[in-house]
Structures are given as C-alpha cells and as structure tokens.
Amino acid sequence: MLPSSRSHIAGPGWRILALLMALAANAVQAADVDVQGVRLWAGPENTRVVLDLDRASTHRLFVLHGPERVVIDVHGGRWSGQQATPPTGGVVSGIRHGQRPNGDLRIVLDVNQLVHPNSFSVAPNDVYGHRLVVDLGLQARGETVVKAAPRQGERDLVIAIDAGHGGEDPGASGPGGTREKDVVLGIARALAALVEREPGMRPLLIRDGDYFVTLRGRMERARKARADIFVSIHADAFRDARARGATVYALSASGASSEAARWLAERENAADLIGGVELNDKDDVLASVLLDLSQSATISASLQAGKHVIGELDGVVHVRKRTVQQGGFIVLKSPDIPSLLVETAYISNPSEERTLRDPAAQRRLAGAILRGVRSYFYEQAIPGTLVARLAAEAPATPRTYTISRGDTLSAIASRFDVTVPRLRAVNDLASDRLRIGQVLTIPGGSGGQ
C-alpha cells in the first residue's frame, strides 16, 4: 500500500492539491486588508469617497447601469468599519458592502446620476493612514459661464477667491487642532461677502464648502469665469512655533517656464484663449512668443497687486516678508490672470492659531485683502469696467504710510512703485533717515483707498 500511495501523491493529483493549497494560503494571507471606515465630501462638480485602510491594497473599479452604481472590489479586503450607517451625500445615495467568494471585499456606491469615476491610493500622512480615494465626477451638462450683467455698458470685475485645501486635504494643523482648510474657508467667505458689496466687483468662490478641488481645477474655474484676479488663501506652518506673520506670493519665472511648455505641448487639443488669442492655429515660434508676452504681463501685474495687498495687511497683522515672494505654485500658473497666494498667518504659532479661529480676525484679514485688491484695480483700471469709471471720477487721494521698525526708504519706494528721489521730494526729506511713527505721503495715490 505504501509504495502505491507514494506513487499517487507524486503524480498530477498531488500537484493540483499543492496548487489549491497555495492559492488558499495566498487568499488567507491577502485577506488582511481592513477597510476601517468611509468618509464622503460632496462638491458642486464631484463627490469624493474615501476608504480608510489599515494597509496598502490593490483594487478594481467599474460602473454598472440600471440602476447606476459604482463598484469597488478591494482585493483581499474585509469590512471592519464601526459605522452603523455609512455616510451619503452629493451623488451617493447609498453605500453597501459584502464579501465575495474569492476573498475580495465588494463595496457598491449607489449613485443618483451618471458619473465618471476615478480612483487612486494615497500613502499615510500625519492625519490619516492608507486611503483609497474614489472621485465621482459629474457628467458634463454643457455648462456656460454666467457673465456679469452690464451696468451702462460696463462690466464688473470678477474676483476669484480660492480657499486652500478642503475635503480629504486638511492642510496644516495648529497645536490646538485647528485645521487650515476650515479657517481659510472662513476668510474666503468673509472676503466674498465684502466683494459682493463692493461697487463694480463680483466674487467667485472656488470652493464654498468642505470638499476637494484639484490645484489645476482651481485655476481652470477662474479662467472659465474670466476672472480678473485670482487670490488663493492659506495659513502657513513651520516646525518652530515662534514663526509668525503673513506672506504674499506671485508666480516665479521658472514656474512660468514650466507652464509655458505645458501649454505649448497641449495647445492643439485646447480650445482656451490665452489673453484673448487662440494658440492652436499658430506655429511653435509665434505661439511661444505670444504665451511669453502674456505670462510676463501677468506676472508683472501679480507683483503689482501683491504690493498693494502687503501694504494693507501690514496694518492688520505682522507681515513676515515686506516684498512679494515668488514660487512655482500650481494655482498661480494661469497665463493670463494676475494671481496671488496669501499666507495669512502661521497656524503652527499658538497665538496666530487663535487669531485665525476668530471670526472677527478673519473679517479683518479679508478686509485688508479687499482693500489691497481694490487699490490695485483703482490704480491699474481695466477699460470697460465700472471700476475704471469710478477711478476716473474719484478725486486723487494721497496715500500715507506710517514708518515702523526695520523700514527703509528704498524698501518703501519699491513697495509703492515710486522712486526714492520722488519720495524725498514729496515729503521734503533731507536724507534717507526715518523715525518710527513718522508718516510719509506716497505720491501717485489712487481713488477709493
């Protein structure tokens, strides 16, 4: 009996049995990805569903119709979430889950309209562990841009206001647990309310809730609305809790160069205008020249607008850098919209964290940003806008500046785009020496300040 048994085990039957045992072992080993819960954020253009996992995993994503469903198979997954009722919102009307015979966990999202799903995995950060993110983009509905109603043949300026981060991306966190995404949304809403009341201006909130918008999506929304300026609001953070102050950024030359290469590479598939001119019918040299001219003018305008915003912030908060800084931030890369990124304060500083949480302080920050934007547009009026007429009709009001510690005449001249000799002449200064508390008259002031 023994010889024949050995012969049987060594044959094809044993190999099949060994293969089945290996597959079973692999299935048991793979079935150790816990789906610990689900979170959901609903935005106007997409709904984001986030699955919290205890480790990295692979998955399969597909759509079923009649009724509409989005299916996610988490390979080797199992549901360990404690939520009695998974969240719903946006296009998601229900979330169901069940174990499949092959060991995968199937999660079904019931959706109330056609969607275009996209999924990706995210590595752990300081706040969350492994995540599987599913974005449910809404089917295009032929959206048209709503333009401002003309006032006596004039249009309003469109002020695009971008609250940084949102949804799954909380941004930086303060020592007291304050999240950047929350406080910057408060400042953005306060700024939008002020702009709404400003003659000749209309706000465009890039996000008006706790949901995520991609960095390029923020820029694209502003361009679709033909915004006249884009202001992205953030709160800085640093490992040293003593760091404090506001900083204003515009796009750097290197950031513009990389964006120019992208526009040139994709222009054949783009119907967008750059500064009112199509690029897709131009040869490489002409398209490059037109794009470079547009970007150079946009960066110059951004720097000018940034100076005005810094000047106004300086009276409300401590300003860390008194000149506009430059960087390659994606949200600033619009080739034809002056764009600023305002780091309003350091959320990592306990004192400034408390300030950022205060609604009254948020309104003060918003007011300073509006005054900076307003003074820029009254000085650099855009023809055909109501603001241009108001600026022309308003009497010139001289600007003043109060000297504080560290100020120099050359730095003040640079900030307000005037020459040092002109500053000396207007203020009857015999030298460049300044004293704290001294008030200077800034020549070339504009109405509305």
Side-chain angles (χ1 to χ4, degrees):
M1 296 291 294
L2 289 177
S4 61
S5 296
R6 288 194 184 97
S7 174
H8 174 72
I9 290 174
W14 167 248
R15 288 195 294 273
I16 293 172
L17 178 61
L19 178 61
L20 291 174
M21 291 175 64
L23 291 174
N26 288 338
V28 171
Q29 185 177 9
D32 58 0
V33 179
D34 286 340
V35 178
Q36 300 169 324
V38 58
R39 290 173 288 125
L40 183 147
W41 284 274
E45 296 184 2
N46 79 312
T47 299
R48 168 164 287 192
V49 178
V50 180
L51 303 177
D52 289 306
L53 314 176
D54 70 334
R55 65 196 65 194
S57 176
T58 57
H59 67 282
R60 185 167 70 108
L61 178 74
F62 58 96
V63 175
L64 295 175
H65 304 286
E68 297 299 317
R69 290 152 289 164
V70 175
V71 181
I72 310 138
D73 284 340
V74 181
H75 298 158
R78 62 188 173 199
W79 186 271
S80 65
Q82 300 301 312
Q83 295 159 300
T85 305
T88 58
V91 297
V92 178
S93 57
I95 301 178
R96 299 173 283 127
H97 59 84
Q99 208 68 42
R100 303 197 67 215
N102 65 355
D104 291 350
L105 173 68
R106 172 159 291 182
I107 299 172
V108 179
L109 309 178
D110 296 314
V111 294
N112 54 30
Q113 68 178 80
L114 290 172
V115 295
H116 300 291
N118 177 50
S119 63
F120 55 93
S121 298
V122 182
N125 60 20
D126 293 341
V127 180
Y128 301 110
H130 290 277
R131 286 149 289 161
L132 172 57
V133 179
V134 180
D135 280 333
L136 307 175
L138 306 188
Q139 188 179 44
R141 295 181 177 179
E143 176 185 5
T144 57
V145 176
V146 178
K147 298 182 179 179
R151 298 181 181 180
Q152 301 176 8
E154 301 154 340
R155 69 173 182 87
D156 286 342
L157 294 170
V158 178
I159 314 300
I161 305 166
D162 171 41
H165 308 283
E168 172 66 6
D169 176 12
S173 295
T178 306
R179 298 183 300 185
E180 181 181 2
K181 68 173 183 177
D182 298 327
V183 294
V184 298
L185 180 59
I187 297 169
R189 285 173 169 168
L191 178 55
L194 292 175
V195 172
E196 189 70 55
R197 296 197 293 267
E198 184 70 22
M201 294 188 186
R202 176 168 61 87
L204 168 71
L205 273 172
I206 299 299
R207 73 172 177 96
D208 190 17
D210 187 16
Y211 50 85
F212 180 77
V213 182
T214 66
L215 296 178
R216 288 202 171 274
R218 296 166 193 257
M219 179 181 73
E220 289 165 2
R221 288 185 185 186
R223 296 196 77 246
K224 283 181 181 178
R226 300 187 181 183
D228 295 283
I229 193 168
F230 176 93
V231 181
S232 189
I233 301 173
H234 290 257
D236 220 334
F238 191 61
R239 61 180 178 274
D240 186 345
R242 294 172 297 180
R244 68 190 185 102
T247 310
V248 177
Y249 290 89
L251 184 63
S252 64
S254 59
S257 297
S258 62
E259 188 66 11
R262 179 187 179 97
W263 276 95
L264 289 172
E266 298 181 357
R267 73 182 191 276
E268 291 183 0
N269 299 320
D272 292 343
L273 301 178
I274 304 298
V277 178
E278 286 192 20
L279 296 184
N280 56 6
D281 60 348
K282 308 293 188 296
D283 62 37
D284 288 350
V285 174
L286 180 56
S288 178
V289 169
L290 291 173
L291 186 55
D292 182 62
L293 289 172
S294 179
Q295 285 187 314
S296 296
T298 299
I299 291 177
S300 177
S302 301
L303 293 171
Q304 290 297 321
K307 288 181 182 180
H308 287 269
V309 172
I310 288 175
E312 295 296 337
L313 284 171
D314 198 26
V316 174
V317 294
H318 171 70
V319 174
R320 179 171 170 267
K321 296 287 187 179
R322 293 180 176 275
T323 57
V324 181
Q325 306 299 293
Q326 293 182 260
F329 302 102
I330 292 177
V331 292
L332 301 181
K333 289 188 173 183
S334 175
D336 49 7
I337 301 176
S339 301
L340 300 174
L341 187 148
V342 181
E343 297 280 9
T344 53
Y346 273 82
I347 199 171
S348 52
N349 180 304
S351 175
E352 294 200 339
E353 178 189 20
R354 289 191 294 273
T355 298
L356 287 169
R357 282 202 306 259
D358 180 8
Q362 292 176 1
R363 289 192 293 272
R364 287 194 296 272
L365 284 163
I369 295 171
L370 172 62
R371 289 193 299 274
V373 169
R374 179 208 294 144
S375 65
Y376 165 73
F377 279 116
Y378 270 78
E379 188 173 277
Q380 306 289 335
I382 297 177
T385 64
L386 175 60
V387 166
R389 178 167 60 83
L390 294 176
E393 293 175 351
T397 304
R399 289 173 290 180
T400 61
Y401 179 76
T402 304
I403 303 302
S404 58
R405 187 179 302 278
D407 278 337
T408 65
L409 203 61
S410 60
I412 296 170
S414 175
R415 178 186 305 182
F416 292 101
D417 197 27
V418 297
T419 65
V420 171
R422 179 72 173 141
L423 268 180
R424 286 200 204 102
V426 168
N427 291 278
D428 196 23
L429 299 177
S431 70
D432 291 355
R433 294 185 62 183
L434 303 171
R435 66 180 187 278
I436 296 175
Q438 181 180 2
V439 178
L440 296 183
T441 297
I442 308 299
S446 61
Q449 293 187 306

